[in-house]
Amino acid sequence: MIQEDTCLKTVVVTGATSGIGLAVARVLAARGFYVIGVGSNQESCDREAYPRPHRLNFIAADLLQQSEVKQVAEEIRVRLVNGELYALINNAGCVRSRYMTTEEGYEHQFALNHLAGFMLTHELMPNLIKAGGRIIMTGSGSHTGAKIMWDDVMMTKRYRPLRAYKQSKLCNMLFAKALNDRYAAHGIRAYVVDPGLVRTNIGNKRTGWLVSLIWSLRKRAGVGPDIPAATYEWLCRENEAPKGFYYYMCKERSFSRQVTAENAERLFALSERLCGISYDRTDKRTEN
Amino acid sequence: MNVLITGAAGGFGRATANECARLGYNLFLTDLNERGLICLKQGLERQFGVTVAAKACDLTETASFDDLLEFIDENGIRFDMLLNIAGLDHEGAFISRSSDQLASIVALNDVATVRITHSILKRRRTGKPFTIVFMSSLASMFPMPVKATYAASKRFILDLSFALRHELKEQRVNVMALCPGGMVTTEEAVKAIEAQGFWGDITTSPLEIVARKMLRRATAGKSIYIPGIFNRCLAFLGRLVPRSIVAAVVFRRWSATGKNT
């Protein structure tokens, strides 16, 4: 089962202790990748790590906190072979039914679904460039109905849970586009996977009873997380990096017309400001 | 507009700070949690490009409190608004809590609030109107078994607020009491609201809206703001029904949700 070409290739999966992330981490480990999973609490990390093979291990970090994103990146770098990271799967995400903020005062869905991945990618970019790596975001077909609310991305005027979620998933698309525009020349490819409707607990964690109830009913129609995991695995496994950027069931899919170079650059600049980082500065450092 | 926010690094403090920053106010933040303050200061500056000063302080410790005032005076900061958000509770049966826990509720919610209000009034910007918001609670409207000390401490704040409002009127000071029901401010609050199911939901007000309306009403000179129609009805009922009956009803409800332990 283990293929030559996957030996020693390291993949990082966030949100890896449940749902889609766990299925992806397992299938990649089974395929011979060395998988580092990031989970939100130590308990679930321990549960999933034991007694699995050494090719799948976990680090606990709360990616809602920017300090922990930086810290987990450091821990990841220590574990890399030759400093090479073959793939980063920004999968961690959440649903909230009420306006809640991180320590920085950033809205939770925007902060976790978009900013955490934005920041982790920045921290690990030198390692990704070294391996000519791939970056995969967990998106959603629901992004097609969304627009970025540029004057109020944190939705403080009136919080609409579903709108905030859709916006965060549009952010994933725009981020992937910006990465391709900027880093294709460095051998980097960024993708967004639409997992479809999947039976996970995303809508039951820290949401109100109403959202939780609706999600419990809705997810019954969903597929198991192994189905979308196959798409992630395919995107990692293909020797020749697939040329598209938005995939559903290993096939390219059409996406929102909001995904433009202009919006992508605007979000990129805003995200850099909100995270207090600069991709350009890091690139120069890497080149030196 | 120079605004001092206490308890700024908590859930409601952050929402309030965001709202003030959006309005372009200059902020002075204080909280017990220094790390949280630094993170919030960074977040506000990155989001809104406003001036933010922050200093960690335990308002219940004299030395720490004096340091805060010294810092303010050294930097010559004078204020136009004080938002007294800091507060705490150790919910549970009176007898099962330690006396230190119970005393700490009063120490922060009442004693520290009185001290900071007095000190900041002395440091108001001259020749300008001044606004004070006191964080009371819907709990201030009723005697509440199982939250007895907390509810009483918030009643103190409510009465203080109404009295100061009249006393300071001539000196162009607006005083408003904020009396919210539940708000999703902490992990514990999320759990507590979920545990109450429908009743938790109906008494819970959206953080972002309460923060915005609080500022709008306080600057418009209102005396009290109870967020949510249902909460306003409860507050009204609380004034009609004799207090001994209210206490009995509240106790029965807590008993039903297993909170009286």
Side-chain angles (χ1 to χ4, degrees):
Chain A
M1 194 70 176
I2 296 170
Q3 297 170 349
E4 268 304 296
D5 58 345
T6 58
C7 275
L8 298 180
K9 281 184 173 174
T10 306
V11 177
V12 169
V13 183
T14 66
T17 49
S18 65
I20 297 168
L22 179 58
V24 170
R26 280 178 180 166
V27 71
L28 288 176
R31 280 282 178 180
F33 288 98
Y34 169 54
V35 180
I36 303 172
V38 179
S40 56
N41 69 65
Q42 193 64 51
E43 201 179 301
S44 54
C45 285
D46 293 344
R47 187 184 62 225
E48 297 307 333
Y50 180 79
R52 282 167 219 295
H54 295 306
R55 284 195 306 279
L56 171 56
N57 51 79
F58 291 87
I59 304 172
D62 177 7
L63 300 180
L64 274 170
Q65 296 183 32
Q66 296 197 337
S67 56
E68 293 211 14
V69 176
K70 288 204 167 162
Q71 204 178 322
V72 83
E74 249 167 60
E75 284 178 45
I76 289 167
R77 277 194 291 268
V78 171
R79 299 188 190 190
L80 294 179
V81 181
N82 299 328
E84 290 181 9
L85 177 58
Y86 179 70
L88 168 60
I89 301 177
N90 288 315
N91 164 74
C94 66
V95 170
R96 292 285 181 266
S97 49
R98 295 196 179 88
Y99 175 77
M100 293 171 80
T101 57
T102 66
E103 284 188 320
E104 285 80 17
Y106 300 163
E107 188 273 317
H108 269 187
Q109 295 195 69
F110 185 76
L112 184 63
N113 301 3
H114 170 58
L115 286 181
F118 184 87
M119 199 160 173
L120 188 59
T121 306
H122 169 263
E123 297 299 308
L124 297 172
M125 189 52 96
N127 311 95
L128 284 159
I129 289 175
K130 205 169 174 195
R134 298 170 193 182
I135 300 152
I136 307 175
M137 260 67 76
T138 295
S140 161
S142 70
H143 84 273
T144 46
K147 278 188 177 177
I148 305 289
M149 286 155 282
W150 294 111
D151 60 338
D152 189 24
V153 286
M154 308 282 181
M155 288 196 108
T156 56
K157 283 180 188 154
R158 182 165 202 113
Y159 193 63
R160 302 277 181 218
L162 203 55
R163 239 179 120 183
Y165 181 77
K166 289 175 179 177
Q167 176 186 261
S168 74
K169 292 294 143 185
L170 176 58
C171 289
N172 296 150
M173 301 291 290
L174 294 172
F175 178 40
K177 174 157 178 58
L179 283 174
N180 284 331
D181 292 349
R182 284 165 171 248
Y183 290 99
H186 292 78
I188 296 276
R189 290 295 307 180
Y191 304 100
V192 180
V193 172
D194 171 11
L197 182 61
V198 187
R199 276 196 307 275
T200 68
N201 291 329
I202 189 167
N204 306 115
K205 295 176 188 166
R206 292 168 70 184
T207 52
W209 66 276
L210 188 62
V211 169
S212 188
L213 177 73
I214 292 169
W215 178 246
S216 295
L217 294 173
R218 183 166 154 71
K219 76 179 177 187
R220 287 188 196 173
V223 297
D226 296 340
I227 306 287
T231 305
Y232 294 81
E233 189 245 346
W234 174 74
L235 285 171
C236 289
R237 183 167 40 92
E238 285 292 292
N239 281 329
E240 186 81 10
K243 290 281 171 262
F245 108 103
Y246 182 49
Y247 286 93
Y248 172 65
M249 305 283 267
C250 303
K251 286 197 179 65
E252 272 194 71
R253 185 162 222 201
S254 63
F255 47 84
S256 165
R257 263 181 279 175
Q258 292 292 316
V259 183
T260 62
E262 192 196 342
N263 281 341
E265 273 310 302
R266 193 170 174 189
L267 180 69
F268 206 89
L270 174 68
S271 309
E272 280 187 327
R273 187 155 56 86
L274 292 176
C275 295
I277 55 177
S278 162
Y279 271 72
D280 289 340
R281 268 207 305 275
T282 314
D283 296 348
K284 288 204 182 88
R285 207 175 55 213
T286 316
E287 280 158 23
N288 295 336
Chain B
M1 184 84 107
N2 293 346
V3 182
L4 174 71
I5 304 178
T6 71
F12 187 65
R14 291 197 297 256
T16 303
N18 269 328
E19 206 47 48
C20 288
R22 172 185 309 286
L23 294 169
Y25 297 170
N26 301 318
L27 290 170
F28 190 108
L29 312 175
T30 180
D31 196 289
L32 189 59
N33 170 4
E34 185 164 22
R35 210 188 82 109
L37 268 186
I38 294 166
C39 286
L40 179 63
K41 174 178 154 67
Q42 268 181 354
L44 292 167
E45 286 171 346
R46 288 171 184 168
Q47 266 198 87
F48 304 103
V50 290
T51 314
V52 181
K55 181 153 175 68
C57 175
D58 181 349
L59 297 172
T60 61
E61 290 285 334
T62 310
S64 180
F65 187 83
D66 291 345
D67 279 351
L68 177 72
L69 294 183
E70 203 174 299
F71 181 83
I72 289 170
D73 290 337
E74 270 173 12
N75 291 285
I77 305 170
R78 290 296 176 261
F79 297 97
D80 306 286
M81 189 186 286
L82 168 64
L83 304 174
N84 282 309
I85 309 290
L88 72 89
D89 186 17
H90 297 286
E91 197 172 87
F94 189 76
I95 206 71
S96 71
R97 295 290 167 268
S98 71
S99 61
D100 282 348
Q101 280 179 322
L102 295 169
S104 72
I105 298 173
V106 180
L108 181 63
N109 297 7
D110 298 336
V111 181
T113 303
V114 167
R115 291 187 68 180
I116 188 99
T117 304
H118 184 265
S119 303
I120 299 304
L121 263 172
K122 293 260 183 196
R123 289 164 179 77
R124 67 181 280 200
R125 195 143 48 169
T126 47
K128 294 266 180 86
F130 190 81
T131 304
I132 306 173
V133 175
F134 286 105
M135 186 69 159
S136 181
S137 164
L138 189 62
S140 70
M141 307 283 169
F142 326 101
M144 293 189 81
V146 193
K147 285 170 86 75
T149 313
Y150 175 81
S153 77
K154 292 300 184 182
R155 181 75 187 190
F156 175 98
I157 290 297
L158 184 68
D159 284 357
L160 179 76
S161 177
F162 273 108
L164 283 184
R165 179 178 170 79
H166 284 277
E167 189 175 328
L168 298 170
K169 205 178 225 170
E170 296 287 296
Q171 294 155 50
R172 296 170 74 200
V173 180
N174 282 322
V175 183
M176 187 183 87
L178 173 64
C179 301
M183 290 197 292
V184 183
T185 51
T186 58
E187 285 293 312
E188 294 80 60
V190 177
K191 287 192 190 113
I193 289 162
E194 271 176 37
Q196 292 184 55
F198 172 77
W199 287 102
D201 249 13
I202 198 168
T203 52
T204 299
S205 310
L207 220 51
E208 74 283 13
I209 292 176
V210 175
R212 185 167 63 244
K213 288 191 176 170
M214 167 188 75
L215 289 172
R216 208 182 284 160
R217 286 171 194 219
T219 44
K222 302 280 184 211
S223 61
I224 185 167
Y225 170 33
I226 305 171
I229 293 170
F230 183 74
N231 291 341
R232 282 196 282 277
C233 293
L234 281 182
F236 180 69
L237 276 176
R239 282 194 285 270
L240 293 183
V241 181
R243 293 175 72 77
S244 58
I245 296 177
V246 174
V249 170
V250 171
F251 186 62
R252 277 187 58 177
R253 222 194 109 211
W254 282 161
S255 300
T257 54
K259 268 196 176 181
N260 57 335
T261 47

